[in-house]
Amino acid sequence: MEISTLATYHCLAFVWYFFVTYSITHVRTEERPSEVFLYGGQWKYLTVLNLVLQAVFYGVSFLADALRLIKKLRCAKCVISSRDLLFSVLAFPVSTFVCLSFWTLYTYNRELVYPKSLDGVIPLWLNHAMHTAVLPFAVLEILATPHRYPAKKKGSILLGFVAFLYISWVLWIYSVTGEWVYPLFALFSPAGLTAFFTCSLAIVISFYNFGEFLNRMIW
C-alpha cells in the first residue's frame, strides 16, 4: 500500500476510534443504569481502555506515515518502532481478546458481561463498534503494512505486565466498592478467579503469537 493511501487509512481509523471513545465516554449520566459506571467510570472496562489504545495506536501510525511523506526519515524510524511495539504487543492481541471473549460470553449469558439494561443506554451500532469492529480493524492493519515484532520473551513480558496492571485495577475497584467490574467474576472462588485470570492471560499471549504468525506469513 502506498504511503499516502496508508496515511489516509490511519487518519480515518484514528478519527473513528476517537469518535467511538468520545461517544461511550459521554453517555448521559441520568441514563446510566445504577449497576454500571460507578467507581472508576467507564475506565474500569477493558473494552473502553482498548478503544483508547486503538486511538493512540492509529494516531502514532498516522504520525509515522506523515513523517515518511515529508521525508523526515530519522524521526519516522523512531515513531515506526513505537508503532510496531504498540501493535504487536497490545493493539492486535487486546482487540482480538475483547472481540472473541465478549461475544463468547454474551452468547452464553449476556448478563455476565453486558447487562440487558445497557441496551437502553448504548445504541446497537456503538456496541458493535466497541466489540465487533475492533477485530476486522486489527486484521486489516496486518494486511495493510508489515510490523516488526520484538523478541518473543520481551513481547510476552510486556503484555503480561500490562495484563497485571489491569488485573490490579480490577481488584482495587473490588476492594473499594465490594462490586466486581464484570458480574462474571462473582461466580468464582479466589482460586477460581486466579485460574480464570491466568487462563485469560494465556489466551491473550496466544493471540500475540498468532498476530506474529500472520505478520510473518503475509510479509
Side-chain angles (χ1 to χ4, degrees), residues 4 7 11 34 43-44 58 61 84 88 101-102 114 117 120 127 133-134 147 151 160 163 165 182 196 213:
S4 57
C11 181
S34 59
W43 309 112
K44 61 186 175 183
Y58 282 106
S61 297
D84 289 346
S88 60
S101 62
F102 174 83
Y114 194 82
S117 56
N127 181 20
V134 291
H147 297 84
L165 290 179
Y182 297 103
F196 177 81
F213 169 77

Side-chain angles (χ1 to χ4, degrees), residues 17 28 63 69 75 91 113-114 127 134 143 153 171 176 179 203-204 209-210:
Y17 274 113
R28 288 188 294 175
L63 176 60
L69 283 172
C75 294
V113 290
Y114 194 82
N127 181 20
V134 291
L143 297 174
K153 182 178 179 179
L171 295 176
V176 172
E179 299 289 338
I203 292 172
V204 174
N209 291 328
F210 181 63

Side-chain angles (χ1 to χ4, degrees), residues 2-212:
E2 293 184 0
I3 298 178
S4 57
T5 304
L6 196 60
T8 301
Y9 164 67
H10 284 149
C11 181
L12 292 175
F14 168 74
V15 171
W16 166 251
Y17 274 113
F18 183 87
F19 169 70
V20 174
T21 303
Y22 177 86
S23 298
I24 190 60
T25 56
H26 284 75
V27 173
R28 288 188 294 175
T29 304
E30 64 272 15
E31 293 182 349
R32 299 174 183 175
S34 59
E35 70 270 23
V36 296
F37 301 140
L38 298 175
Y39 186 88
Q42 293 95 329
W43 309 112
K44 61 186 175 183
Y45 298 109
L46 183 60
T47 295
V48 178
L49 295 176
N50 180 56
L51 294 176
V52 176
L53 168 64
Q54 301 305 317
V56 170
F57 164 70
Y58 282 106
V60 171
S61 297
F62 174 67
L63 176 60
D65 298 334
L67 290 172
R68 292 169 67 193
L69 283 172
I70 62 176
K71 307 300 182 181
K72 298 290 186 179
L73 300 183
R74 182 174 297 180
C75 294
K77 185 177 180 180
C78 180
V79 177
I80 288 172
S81 296
S82 299
R83 178 203 70 183
D84 289 346
L85 189 65
L86 268 175
F87 180 76
S88 60
V89 175
L90 294 176
F92 181 83
V94 174
S95 285
T96 306
F97 180 79
V98 164
C99 179
L100 297 183
S101 62
F102 174 83
W103 288 113
T104 298
L105 292 170
Y106 185 98
T107 302
Y108 173 71
N109 182 357
R110 65 170 297 175
E111 294 299 319
L112 297 177
V113 290
Y114 194 82
K116 193 173 180 62
S117 56
L118 287 176
D119 287 346
V121 179
I122 300 176
L124 183 61
W125 74 265
L126 186 53
N127 181 20
H128 283 292
M130 294 188 298
H131 297 115
T132 307
V134 291
L135 181 54
F137 266 103
V139 173
L140 183 58
E141 177 63 22
I142 285 185
L143 297 174
T145 186
H147 297 84
R148 185 181 296 275
Y149 273 66
K152 194 175 297 292
K153 182 178 179 179
K154 177 183 177 181
S156 298
I157 290 174
L158 287 173
L159 181 54
F161 178 70
V162 173
F164 171 77
L165 290 179
Y166 179 69
I167 292 171
S168 297
W169 175 226
V170 168
L171 295 176
W172 171 257
I173 291 173
Y174 178 75
S175 72
V176 172
T177 66
E179 299 289 338
W180 288 109
V181 171
Y182 297 103
L184 169 69
F185 297 158
L187 302 178
F188 296 105
S189 65
L193 194 61
T194 300
F196 177 81
F197 285 145
T198 302
C199 182
S200 296
L201 176 58
I203 292 172
V204 174
I205 291 176
S206 72
F207 291 150
Y208 163 74
N209 291 328
F210 181 63
E212 183 180 27

